[in-house]
Amino acid sequence: MTSVNAKKYLFANWKMYLHLEPSVLLAREFKNKLTNIPEDIQIAVFPSALAFAAVSDALKDSPVFVGAQNTYWVPEGGYTGEVSAEMFARSGAQYALVGHSERRHQFHETNHEVRLKLEAALAAGLTPVLCVGETAAEHKNGTAREAVEVQVRSAYSDLAWPTNRPFIIAYEPVWAIGTGNTCSPVGAEKMAGQITNLARTLTGALPAVLYGGSVRPENVATFLAEPHLAGVLVGGASAKLDSWQAIVRAAVTAD
Ligand code: PGA
């Protein structure tokens, strides 16, 4: 079956893996090595807040976009330690991850806060990338579908998606992130189909659903072959030049 999405998204979530200098060096290498990327493949990196401005600068005039890993919803003010969606947007961000499971579980981010961040990202002109996914316990006890449904509903209920903004959701099972235990492509496809239908019913727009969780050069093509998967969100393997280049190459070949 052919994909329901025209574009393929390859997103590199650098998390807190890289200090400032290696972030800029890696960004420069991406710029120099990732050439001849077909127009239907969109690559973006999500550096730390510290490295964001320098990475954004290093990637100017390259086909690689930049995004924020986490944003605050108030545009500016007395919020010690936070960086707003508005600030990232004005520093060159195109995208913002919203509700990554490490934010939800390690920093106790609620569905309500995720919704506020999603709305603020849209208001700032960014394309939010909502992250959803079930925990290991939910996976085991057979409630994964319900868990993901709650996250999707609270993010998009009564929200008309702006027509000028791509609509992107990342399905990242928590038990697959950073563990080497990838979800099967068939399992990811099934959940992506459910997410697509629900998100479309809620917003009237067709989302591009990405898979994330231990994506590697050797498995990326199996996910991209699934009709409801429009790309991948990659953590560990995106923070090294060799593995990221191999992932991009595999995606271009599979295109
Ligand atoms: P991983 O992380 O590729 O290291 O599993 C994915 C993510 O958290 O976005």
Side-chain angles (χ1 to χ4, degrees):
M1 214 202 284
T2 51
S3 169
V4 294
N5 276 284
K7 258 198 200 309
K8 288 255 180 297
Y9 299 92
L10 306 178
F11 286 174
N13 177 9
W14 289 353
K15 307 192 182 189
M16 207 179 72
Y17 289 135
L18 300 169
H19 286 254
L20 174 60
E21 208 184 0
S23 299
V24 176
L25 288 176
L26 189 57
R28 286 201 193 119
E29 286 181 317
F30 278 18
K31 183 173 175 171
N32 295 335
K33 302 263 163 67
L34 303 179
T35 49
N36 299 324
I37 306 296
E39 265 186 22
D40 63 338
I41 293 191
Q42 180 131 139
I43 300 175
V45 305
F46 296 76
S48 72
L50 173 71
F52 183 85
V55 166
S56 173
D57 208 43
L59 289 171
K60 256 197 200 118
D61 306 318
S62 88
V64 182
F65 291 90
V66 275
Q69 293 180 13
N70 177 41
T71 55
Y72 195 59
W73 55 85
V74 179
E76 55 186 69
Y79 300 94
T80 303
E82 295 295 318
V83 183
S84 70
E86 179 76 31
M87 286 169 164
F88 278 110
R90 291 214 208 163
S91 299
Q94 180 90 5
Y95 297 102
L97 298 183
V98 177
H100 188 280
S101 75
E102 286 157 8
R103 304 276 342 148
R104 292 179 189 264
H105 298 289
Q106 294 168 19
F107 300 98
H108 314 292
E109 213 165 276
T110 64
N111 279 324
H112 174 66
E113 289 168 332
V114 168
R115 170 67 179 244
L116 291 173
K117 290 183 178 198
L118 190 90
E119 288 177 3
L122 285 172
L126 299 173
T127 295
V129 178
L130 176 77
C131 302
V132 297
E134 78 281 6
T135 63
E138 289 159 343
H139 179 60
K140 270 204 197 94
N141 68 23
T143 57
R145 192 183 162 161
E146 290 77 0
V148 169
E149 181 172 336
V150 169
Q151 294 170 341
V152 173
R153 270 192 196 284
S154 63
Y156 302 122
S157 289
D158 306 312
L159 186 80
W161 199 258
T163 51
N164 63 351
R165 215 68 57 79
F167 184 20
I168 308 177
I169 304 173
Y171 169 56
E172 299 201 299
V174 179
W175 49 271
I177 294 178
T179 58
N181 285 331
T182 29
C183 181
S184 72
V186 173
E189 163 63 16
K190 205 167 154 208
M191 190 66 94
Q194 288 162 7
I195 292 170
T196 300
N197 292 339
L198 178 59
R200 193 181 199 172
T201 307
L202 292 169
T203 64
L206 181 69
V209 181
L210 321 186
Y211 169 76
S214 299
V215 172
R216 305 277 185 269
E218 55 278 13
N219 62 27
V220 63
T222 62
F223 292 105
L224 296 178
E226 296 295 342
H228 285 97
L229 292 176
V232 284
L233 176 56
V234 187
S238 75
K240 290 174 226 98
L241 180 66
D242 287 359
S243 46
W244 184 245
Q245 256 189 307
I247 284 173
V248 173
R249 222 178 294 122
V252 171
T253 309
D255 196 30

